[in-house]
Amino acid sequence: MPNRAIPAESKPPLVRMVGISKRFGGVPALQEVSFEIYPGEVHVLAGENGAGKSTLVKILAGVYSDYEGTIEIEGKPVRFHSPLEAAAQGIVAIHQELSLVPSMSVVDNLFLGTPLTSAGFVRQRDQRVRAKALLDQLGVEIDVDRAVEELPLATQQLIEIAKALGQKARVLIMDEPTSALSAPEVERLFRLIADLKARGCGVVYITHRLEEIERLADRITVLRDGRRVQTAPASEVSTQMLIHWMVGRELEGWWAGESRRAQPVRAASAPPRLQLENFTVLSRRHGGRPPVDSVSLSVEAGEIVGIAGLQGSGASELLMGLFGGYGRLARGTIRLNGKPVTIHSPQQAIANGIALLTNDRKATGLVLSLSVMANITLADLKRLTPFGWRRPRLEREVATYWANRLRLQAPSLDAPVDTLSGGNQQKVALAKWLQTRPQVLLLDEPTRGVDVAAKREIYELIYRWADEGIAILLITSEMPELLMLSDRIVAMHRGRITAEFTRANASADAILAAAMGSSVVSSPHPAQERMP
């Protein structure tokens, strides 16, 4: 970890949490945890999914008020009963799961609960000006009157960050803030964090990305199984030490960035498992630029093809279009095992052996109020309920099988999915699609919000699925992950493929250049012109 000076001990902390304990239904989530944040520091809160990180910061942010222990602000005890009370004391949280109201406009979301008013009337013009200024800090140029649900997930994430900035926080809690952001957006966020530190703000930062911890952390606190394991200056913590504290054991070698797979060999007589020819997704706005424009690519059985692209590249739209999510707005030829197929709905995609893990498990991946078992069996109900009759015993057997295979940690199969940690929710989403027995698996950010140990498990599962003959199309915003997992990589820019790389000639610089539309790439895609 880098060598940084931590705030002087003579300075009083902005916030001190002492002996915090919290239970859910009798199950301890936190046990006697103490934590403090000083002015001008980034204090990283690390740990596996389910370690208690999100619970701790939700207590600090006023989401939970029924806990044991004390919170002090500048030495005075406080107990918040709502996020508004916490915000009034300068503590604002950006939670991992977005809190925006999809049907409301950007400007209304930014000032929800804290409107600019005079004599009881909302100053709408002033709100628009202020909204644009907040978004400008993050490099976001959008119509603030648009509904949030019309915007990409990455833009929604930036709106959530702008909303927190507008509340003039003294302590800003960031729970996985970069999970949906592109590399340039992440850089803007990091510059903003540096500016907040210079102003004397304290930042509580939760991330599962080791490179972010190395770059940002002044101090690190590690939680495991609801208890504090260690707090130390970042300069004194090696990567191996951090991982050992988080998981309680060594995880050797997996972060080195080298694939454990041999390059798959295609059978000479076998057609590609998946082949796209001039695949296009038309814009929902008449005359708008197609988000996916004449894409041609193929994926062999047992091959992992990574897709690299920045925001607006069309990568997620490509997978959603292939899955039938855009109906007849998706055009072009799709072949499975050499035979043309028609896919205008997710039902048709599933029937043809195509499954999609979306990049937003909360909105499009899971039904959070339903049980673990109901979510796992949801996409395969047609087979599990012949003639419309449910077979609860079979459903439980199926859910138990996947829970064991994916090492799912849940109180029971009947527990609502929203009670699980983010990593275990992701495993439930994966199990749902694997139960459909896909020939083609579309993975959009499969390790988003997942801790290092669960990430390693998902890597091993992806390798196993490929070894079993599933063709995999993979999107990930983490370059080391993309390079490690992929047998081939295609780069997309503004809806088109600009380059294709083999494992042998792929490099981070060349991939990023192609994803940014540069004509200077090492391996142009043969089927399409490069973008100018």
Side-chain angles (χ1 to χ4, degrees), residues 290-353:
V292 180
D293 187 4
S294 302
V295 166
S296 297
L297 61 80
S298 64
V299 189
E300 308 291 340
E303 185 181 29
I304 303 170
V305 174
I307 304 177
L310 304 178
Q311 183 181 342
S313 67
S316 293
E317 290 83 356
L318 172 64
L319 298 197
M320 184 62 75
L322 177 55
F323 189 63
Y326 293 113
R328 296 184 180 276
L329 290 176
R331 310 282 177 85
T333 302
I334 304 173
R335 288 189 172 88
L336 293 174
N337 301 310
K339 298 180 180 179
V341 296
T342 298
I343 298 176
H344 289 143
S345 70
Q347 292 87 345
Q348 290 178 325
I350 294 169
N352 281 287

Side-chain angles (χ1 to χ4, degrees), residues 320-530:
M320 184 62 75
L322 177 55
F323 189 63
Y326 293 113
R328 296 184 180 276
L329 290 176
R331 310 282 177 85
T333 302
I334 304 173
R335 288 189 172 88
L336 293 174
N337 301 310
K339 298 180 180 179
V341 296
T342 298
I343 298 176
H344 289 143
S345 70
Q347 292 87 345
Q348 290 178 325
I350 294 169
N352 281 287
I354 298 176
L356 168 64
L357 180 79
T358 64
N359 60 20
D360 188 349
R361 57 179 171 262
K362 179 180 178 181
T364 55
L366 299 167
V367 182
L368 297 178
S369 60
L370 293 183
S371 68
V372 172
M373 181 171 67
N375 273 278
I376 290 176
T377 57
L378 189 61
D380 199 31
L381 281 177
K382 185 175 182 180
R383 189 179 67 84
L384 295 175
T385 57
F387 308 109
W389 292 96
R390 287 193 59 195
R391 301 167 66 188
R393 181 179 295 180
L394 177 59
E395 290 179 38
R396 190 167 295 275
E397 288 176 359
V398 165
T400 300
Y401 169 80
W402 288 113
N404 292 335
R405 187 173 181 188
L406 288 123
R407 299 178 188 174
L408 181 68
Q409 296 180 7
S412 75
L413 295 176
D414 299 309
V417 165
D418 62 3
T419 64
L420 273 59
S421 66
N424 284 300
Q425 289 182 14
Q426 192 77 336
K427 289 182 180 181
V428 173
L430 285 166
K432 177 183 74 172
W433 291 118
L434 292 170
Q435 174 56 27
T436 66
R437 303 174 184 178
Q439 298 185 72
V440 177
L441 187 56
L442 312 176
L443 300 176
D444 195 346
E445 301 289 355
T447 64
R448 179 181 176 226
V450 168
D451 64 66
V452 290
K455 186 175 289 190
R456 182 194 185 205
E457 291 178 353
I458 291 175
Y459 291 165
E460 292 295 333
L461 288 167
I462 291 172
Y463 286 141
R464 186 192 305 169
W465 301 329
D467 290 343
E468 292 172 357
I470 297 176
I472 297 175
L473 263 177
L474 167 72
I475 297 173
T476 173
S477 56
E478 298 189 41
M479 186 63 73
E481 188 171 276
L482 182 72
L483 290 166
M484 181 175 66
L485 292 174
S486 304
D487 300 311
R488 283 188 295 124
I489 296 171
V490 295
M492 289 187 67
H493 176 73
R494 294 176 64 83
R496 305 190 70 194
I497 291 180
T498 54
E500 181 177 312
F501 304 87
T502 65
R503 190 185 296 164
N505 69 2
S507 69
D509 290 347
I511 292 169
L512 183 58
M516 295 177 70
S518 172
S519 60
V520 184
V521 293
S522 60
S523 179
H525 187 267
Q528 296 176 272
E529 296 179 3
R530 299 183 200 157

